[in-house]
Amino acid sequence: SSRATTVLSKVGSAGSAITAAISARCSAMPANSASRTCSGVIFAVAFLGVPLVDPARDHVIGVLSVFGPEPRTWTEGDVVLLGQLAMPVATELELAALTAEFEASRLRWGLAIDAAGIGSFDWDLVSGRLAWDDRLLELFGYGADGFSASIDAFTDRLHPDDATRVGDVLQAAIDRCGDFEVEYRVQLPTGGTRWMVSRGRVLPDERGAGVRMLGAAYDTTRRREGEAQVARVLESMSAAFYSLAEDWTFSYVNAEAERLLGRSREELLGGSIWELFPAAVGSPFEEHYRAARETGRPTVFEAYYPPPLDGWYELRVWPAPDGLSVYFLDITERRRAEETARRDARRLALIARVSDTLSTALIDRRGGHGALQELLHAVVPELADWAIASLVGEDGRLHDVGSWHADPELRPVAAEYARVRLGALNSTAPIVDALATGEVVVVPDVAAAVGRGLPDGPARDVYWQLDPGTAVALALVARGRVLGAMSLYRDKGRDPMDAVDRATLREVADRAALALDSAALHEQQRRMAEELQRSLLTDPPEPDHSQVAVRYVPAVQAAQVGGDWYDAFLQPGGATVLAIGDVVGHDTVAAAAMGQLRSLLRGIAYSGGNGPAAVLAALDRAMEGLQVHTLATAAVARLEQEAVDRERGETRLRWSNAGHPPLLVLHPDGHVQVLATERADLMLGVDPLAVRREHVVVLSRGATVLMYTDGLVEGPDLPLDDGVARLAELLAELGELELEELCDQVLTRMRPRGSEDDVALVAVRLHWEDGPRPAEAGPEVVPPTP
């Protein structure tokens, strides 16, 4: 009963009847019983309970219960009475809970306000009485006795420079009975200054006049100091910074931003960026600014702003709740440096490409025409939209030899203009000036300089189809000699060549001219060397229905005279001697040694009438005795035929080899025999006493013998054994061809791009002797006294 009494006492007066009834019941019990049941433990026998229901939310919040120590029958009146008691008990419990929640909330708000350092005020506008809480008194530097409780307490502490502005804000709020917010400075008695922000509302009376102002104030000094520090940092930055408000007006600019934007702070602050800088409208600036606002994501970009700023800028844009913060840097010089670096890289790449192109074209023996055509492919479209190349011919006149256009559809038109233009140009044409001065001639208006001066006809018609805007003409000059010219054209929508482009073109032209001149000199030397080499080689005889074909092909490198040689002659006895050799080296010394060896071998073989092995042995000794200090490979073969051989339709081939590639024999049945031994004999010039071996093979009429030097079957791309095998297969494949054509096909198929070494070739075909000499063998050619 004591615990129930305690609980019911907390529900207010509505539970007093229950409390009294319980107390009376305990008092009426016997002493021993009361002490036993009321001492803290109740042995309940009878129980009645009803739910406590919250009428507002219609849900059970508890139970009101009564107990009895004796068995008892509860009447309907008991239940009704307890139910009636339950309603106020439930109401009182809900009220107690709300009160506790309100007190807790008030405590939390108080703690939050104290933690935030906020003070509150209440100003009676009718009586003029001003009430401040303790926090506000502390913020304004007032003690308990110094506060006058009037608006003077506020104005006395207000900084003089802020007084008028703050007064206008408060008066405006009073006049319209609205909210206000104002920031100001407070001068403290200690001499310090504190920044404050006040926010509040004016309450009206029934007539709408302001009668009361309620509000709060808090200290913003730290924030202000942080902003000042940030401002100092921003002002000291070497980069520009500005802020834009939500309405796109400037809210802050630092000194560097003033300088780069070309406007003072007074002009910028509060002004719209789109009005102050109209060129930004529709530009990447507006696009990125609005994108940052819409997406809420920072963005970084580079953009060009036209005059008066006339520069490239790198911008970093951060969206904020109240607008945008923009950091930007003038990168014009960096962009120019990068563009210069890119142009230098392109220029060097172009020059390298031109050098490679010219080298490839000249090495491939395409001559000046092919080299200049490749040059045009390299400079278009890098330096021009289309171009024409010209060469000075042997007649001393200029000839257009190539053209190229970036547009494939206009290439035939450019080619036609190159075909007909020189005949239509007059003496004042830019290309004439270029040839005369050797300088780069710039044509800013091609129509005025050329187009309108062309006579009616094909050249004029084709010119106006091309209709160029600007042009540059320059001569190709090397070693003081004009070799040709180049004419480069740009379309009207493209800027004219600047100084960098012209310098690049000049360097390209100089390299092209030097390459052409060097190629011409090399070709001249190559022809001279080839003529020298051929002058040492004689035409072969054509005896006994035998057809002899010879070939000599110099190396692809110009002026590389070599030691390759061949020979064919008749011995006094009528036998045909075939010889082929290769002196080590590729220079005039090798050529001279080759001439000596060839002459020695010819003399030894003719005068002695000996066989191939004896001839090579005698030659080796002669080289030693005559001090011909060189090394050489050689193969000598002799075609022999006695009467019995003629009757059988056969010829004997006697041969000896001094370290030379093996002879090949194509037999009439189509199989190819490689005349090689298991161990080759020494080359010439190693040991004058070396033993020379001799071999004989019987050939049927219709057989073909092929002798060659190693340049045909050996090179960096072809090992000797593989080359000999390939040549044998090719000889079998081409064996049905006429002998001269067979030699040409062998050279073409084995070395389609030429050889790095000289190539000498001797081929002999034995025609049948049972009739006249066949026409395909040509006339018989023998010495007058065989």
Side-chain angles (χ1 to χ4, degrees):
S1 64
S2 61
R3 187 173 297 177
T5 301
T6 302
V7 171
L8 291 176
S9 66
K10 293 182 179 180
V11 303
S13 58
S16 58
I18 285 282
T19 303
I22 292 176
S23 299
R25 180 71 182 88
C26 287
S27 299
M29 292 178 63
N32 58 347
S33 174
S35 62
R36 182 166 41 108
T37 59
C38 299
S39 61
V41 178
I42 299 177
F43 296 93
V45 175
F47 168 80
L48 175 63
V50 294
L52 299 174
V53 180
D54 178 8
R57 292 178 288 181
D58 194 24
H59 72 277
V60 176
I61 62 174
V63 176
L64 178 61
S65 305
V66 292
F67 306 88
E70 304 283 345
R72 177 175 177 173
T73 299
W74 302 98
T75 65
E76 184 176 350
D78 294 335
V79 175
V80 171
L81 175 60
L82 191 60
Q84 291 174 344
L85 289 174
M87 288 186 291
V89 168
T91 302
E92 288 297 330
L93 287 174
E94 284 295 303
L95 180 60
L98 290 174
T99 302
E101 183 178 353
F102 172 77
E103 288 297 329
S105 298
R106 189 171 64 85
L107 178 60
R108 287 196 300 271
W109 278 108
L111 292 174
I113 290 174
D114 290 341
I118 299 175
S120 62
F121 62 87
D122 184 350
W123 184 20
D124 189 330
L125 300 177
V126 178
S127 66
R129 184 178 182 280
L130 179 63
W132 283 359
D133 64 5
D134 294 341
R135 178 57 181 164
L136 201 56
L137 291 172
E138 179 186 351
L139 290 174
F140 275 77
Y142 283 108
D145 301 330
F147 181 62
S148 64
S150 69
I151 195 62
D152 294 337
F154 173 72
T155 57
D156 288 345
R157 293 285 194 265
L158 190 61
H159 195 286
D161 293 342
D162 298 338
T164 302
R165 177 176 55 83
V166 173
D168 292 342
V169 171
L170 296 180
Q171 188 59 51
I174 293 171
D175 292 342
R176 67 174 185 273
C177 290
D179 297 340
F180 67 89
E181 179 178 350
V182 63
E183 189 170 18
Y184 50 87
R185 285 166 291 178
V186 173
Q187 292 181 314
L188 300 175
T190 58
T193 301
R194 174 175 289 154
W195 279 91
M196 300 278 292
V197 168
S198 290
R199 294 179 179 177
R201 175 176 298 177
V202 176
L203 304 179
D205 60 10
E206 65 276 5
R207 294 172 300 173
V211 296
R212 190 177 181 186
M213 179 182 291
L214 300 176
Y218 56 92
D219 188 348
T220 61
T221 305
R222 288 188 178 180
R223 190 197 71 186
R224 274 287 186 166
E225 289 175 350
E227 291 177 353
Q229 184 176 5
V230 170
R232 287 193 298 272
V233 171
L234 292 176
E235 288 298 325
S236 65
M237 287 171 54
S238 59
F241 178 87
Y242 60 81
S243 296
L244 297 174
E246 290 184 347
D247 59 356
W248 301 105
T249 59
F250 286 93
S251 57
Y252 175 80
V253 292
N254 69 355
E256 183 63 12
E258 289 184 88
R259 188 185 70 79
L260 291 181
L261 296 177
R263 295 175 181 269
S264 67
R265 195 165 305 196
E266 289 72 18
E267 293 178 276
L268 293 169
L269 292 179
S272 169
I273 187 174
W274 313 126
E275 295 175 1
L276 293 172
F277 300 95
V281 178
S283 72
F285 293 91
E286 181 179 14
E287 176 186 347
H288 287 92
Y289 283 7
R290 295 191 182 277
R293 281 276 295 271
E294 292 171 1
T295 64
R297 292 192 297 268
T299 182
V300 179
F301 66 98
E302 292 181 5
Y304 171 76
Y305 196 93
L309 299 186
D310 189 21
W312 279 90
Y313 297 90
E314 177 189 283
L315 294 98
R316 299 175 183 270
V317 182
W318 292 273
D322 55 351
L324 294 178
S325 295
V326 181
Y327 155 96
F328 68 108
L329 190 66
D330 187 347
I331 59 171
T332 305
E333 291 303 321
R334 189 189 80 189
R335 292 278 298 206
R336 288 173 181 167
E338 290 174 351
E339 179 61 25
T340 300
R342 283 194 294 269
R343 293 190 68 175
D344 287 344
R346 290 198 301 268
R347 179 178 64 85
L348 294 175
L350 175 61
I351 292 172
R353 188 163 67 251
V354 166
S355 299
D356 292 343
T357 297
L358 293 172
S359 299
T360 301
L362 295 173
I363 288 175
D364 291 347
R365 301 280 181 86
R366 281 180 275 171
H369 293 202
L372 285 180
Q373 185 63 44
E374 294 296 330
L375 176 63
L376 296 180
H377 292 179
V379 300
V380 173
E382 184 69 29
L383 294 178
D385 293 304
W386 58 286
I388 295 175
S390 312
L391 278 178
V392 176
E394 294 182 358
D395 57 0
R397 301 179 61 184
L398 193 68
H399 300 273
D400 287 339
V401 297
S403 65
W404 193 247
H405 202 295
D407 186 348
E409 294 184 359
L410 291 176
R411 286 170 190 167
V413 182
E416 178 64 15
Y417 182 64
R419 189 183 69 83
V420 300
R421 69 157 185 164
L422 290 179
L425 295 177
N426 55 40
S427 60
T428 62
I431 194 171
V432 177
D433 292 341
L435 291 171
T437 63
E439 300 295 330
V440 178
V441 176
V442 179
V443 187
D445 187 351
V446 187
V450 177
R452 300 190 189 101
L454 291 172
D456 292 338
R460 184 183 182 92
D461 297 339
V462 176
Y463 169 86
W464 288 110
Q465 291 184 56
L466 297 167
D467 194 16
T470 61
V472 168
L474 74 165
L476 301 177
V477 183
R479 300 181 178 95
R481 189 163 65 97
V482 176
L483 304 176
M486 290 180 64
S487 304
L488 293 91
Y489 303 87
R490 288 191 174 187
D491 294 339
K492 292 180 177 178
R494 186 173 179 180
D495 293 335
M497 283 193 191
D498 58 18
V500 175
D501 289 335
R502 294 196 298 271
T504 302
L505 178 60
R506 177 76 274 174
E507 187 167 356
V508 166
D510 289 345
R511 287 174 178 258
L514 186 61
L516 290 173
D517 191 53
S518 299
L521 293 174
H522 290 170
E523 179 62 20
Q524 182 181 8
Q525 294 174 3
R526 190 194 65 80
R527 286 199 301 267
M528 292 174 59
E530 185 176 346
E531 290 171 4
L532 172 63
Q533 187 87 345
R534 292 184 187 281
S535 69
L536 300 174
L537 306 174
T538 56
D539 293 331
E542 302 279 359
D544 299 332
H545 286 60
S546 299
Q547 180 185 0
V548 182
V550 294
R551 294 289 187 275
Y552 173 74
V553 180
V556 293
Q557 294 182 344
Q560 283 289 308
V561 296
D564 290 23
W565 54 276
Y566 63 81
D567 203 355
F569 55 89
L570 298 180
Q571 288 181 318
T576 302
V577 176
L578 307 173
I580 194 163
D582 184 3
V583 175
V584 174
H586 293 88
D587 50 26
T588 54
V589 175
M594 177 272 293
Q596 289 179 296
L597 294 186
R598 181 177 180 274
S599 299
L600 284 172
L601 186 148
R602 173 180 279 239
I604 292 171
Y606 185 82
S607 61
N610 296 322
V615 169
L616 288 175
L619 178 59
D620 221 356
R621 293 190 298 272
M623 290 172 61
E624 175 74 13
L626 297 175
Q627 296 186 1
V628 180
H629 301 302
T630 189
L631 298 174
T633 66
V636 178
R638 186 169 71 179
L639 296 172
E640 306 171 354
Q641 190 180 49
E642 301 293 338
V644 63
D645 299 321
R646 186 175 294 108
E647 291 175 2
R648 295 175 180 173
E650 296 176 345
T651 298
R652 280 170 289 156
L653 177 69
R654 187 179 302 276
W655 60 275
S656 182
N657 191 323
H660 200 76
L663 283 65
L664 299 182
V665 176
L666 172 65
H667 291 281
D669 61 2
H671 87 275
V672 175
Q673 182 180 4
V674 180
L675 302 183
T677 59
E678 184 177 351
R679 181 176 60 85
D681 290 351
L682 285 177
M683 64 192 307
L684 299 172
V686 177
D687 181 4
L689 302 178
V691 176
R692 301 294 172 183
R693 294 174 296 169
E694 195 170 82
H695 313 274
V696 177
V697 61
V698 177
L699 306 179
S700 300
R701 306 305 291 188
T704 302
V705 179
L706 185 64
M707 306 173 72
Y708 52 92
T709 56
D710 58 359
L712 183 67
V713 293
E714 185 178 32
D717 60 335
L718 186 64
L720 179 61
D721 292 342
D722 293 346
V724 172
R726 184 185 299 179
L727 179 59
E729 294 174 358
L730 189 59
L731 183 59
E733 177 186 344
L734 303 175
E736 297 297 327
L737 296 179
E738 189 273 330
L739 189 61
E740 296 288 344
E741 185 179 357
L742 171 65
C743 292
D744 292 336
Q745 285 294 319
V746 164
L747 290 171
T748 301
R749 298 275 290 274
M750 289 296 294
R751 289 298 181 186
R753 298 176 64 86
S755 173
E756 295 183 3
D757 196 0
D758 294 4
V759 175
L761 191 69
V762 178
V764 179
R765 178 163 290 172
L766 305 177
H767 292 287
W768 291 94
E769 298 176 295
D770 55 356
R773 183 180 176 89
E776 65 188 50
E780 184 175 75
V781 179
V782 295
T785 56

